[in-house]
Amino acid sequence: MRHGRLIGLGVGPGDPELMTVKGAKALEGAHAIAFIAAAGRASRSREIAAGYIRPGTRELIAVMPMTQDTEATGRAYSQLVTGIVSELGQGHDVVFLCEGDPLLYGSFAHLLPRLGNRFECVVIPGITSITAAAATAQVPLGLYDEPIALIPATVGPKRMTALLQQADRAVIMKVGRHLGPVRQALADARMSEGAVLVENATLQGQRVRPLSAVTEAQVPYFSLILAGRARRRE
């Protein structure tokens, strides 16, 4: 009996129209979908893909506790894997939904090691919040031979400053409550001038502002900063 395939599908940054054609076709043919939902909240990836999911599709959900407890999150992943393996073993394809791209800070990367090499796996890339934010703000991510730093705001100000000093352009992700330290790190690396904050790219409530115009101490979690150092002219 043929085993099913596990398909890691990037559903994009939020706007359902930014789903890829290949992703939509995968959902049309899927017997089951799987996704992560934070406890007490709807799944964003499920909401993005909703219009492409055919009626009757089986849904496997991992409810993640709002905690840093790795044992608790591990149990949620294990339960999800059990359901996925059951479907795959019956010859059913399972599409795992991921916001943005499956392999860029995505939950799919945590799922893969738990399944090992037992089943065929396909990854369908998705448009990331990074490229979506750059398009929204109309700010180039890279020019010429400029190195780009992609940094989660959670790395801490000292490490962030060191990373920024090695790059000409930077994207700081998941800014949220880390705005103050991020702002200071950009200033220390001489990358504050011209920096732009993008909130909720492609979603309702999308907003683009110069970082210098942001006065609050905290911004939405789904915010990122695009910054660059002025290029020296030869």
Side-chain angles (χ1 to χ4, degrees), residues 5-23:
R5 297 179 305 159
L6 175 63
I7 303 172
L9 170 59
V11 300
D15 182 348
E17 292 188 354
L18 292 178
M19 274 270 294
T20 64
V21 173
K22 189 168 187 176

Side-chain angles (χ1 to χ4, degrees), residues 36-53:
I36 303 293
R41 299 181 185 177
S43 166
R44 282 169 55 97
S45 60
R46 172 64 173 79
E47 289 179 341
I48 295 167
Y52 302 96
I53 300 171

Side-chain angles (χ1 to χ4, degrees), residues 49-71:
Y52 302 96
I53 300 171
R54 60 182 174 81
T57 301
R58 180 169 168 74
E59 301 191 15
L60 309 173
I61 309 169
V63 178
M64 288 293 171
M66 301 296 288
T67 175
Q68 297 296 320
D69 184 349
T70 55
E71 288 188 10

Side-chain angles (χ1 to χ4, degrees), residues 47-115:
E47 289 179 341
I48 295 167
Y52 302 96
I53 300 171
R54 60 182 174 81
T57 301
R58 180 169 168 74
E59 301 191 15
L60 309 173
I61 309 169
V63 178
M64 288 293 171
M66 301 296 288
T67 175
Q68 297 296 320
D69 184 349
T70 55
E71 288 188 10
T73 56
R75 286 193 296 269
Y77 274 117
S78 295
Q79 291 171 1
L80 182 61
V81 167
T82 298
I84 290 174
V85 168
S86 176
E87 293 290 340
L88 296 175
Q90 297 175 64
H92 302 152
D93 288 349
V94 178
V95 177
F96 187 87
L97 307 177
C98 295
E99 295 173 52
D101 183 88
L103 298 177
L104 184 67
Y105 298 113
S107 51
F108 189 68
H110 299 290
L111 186 71
L112 278 177
R114 291 174 164 85
L115 286 164

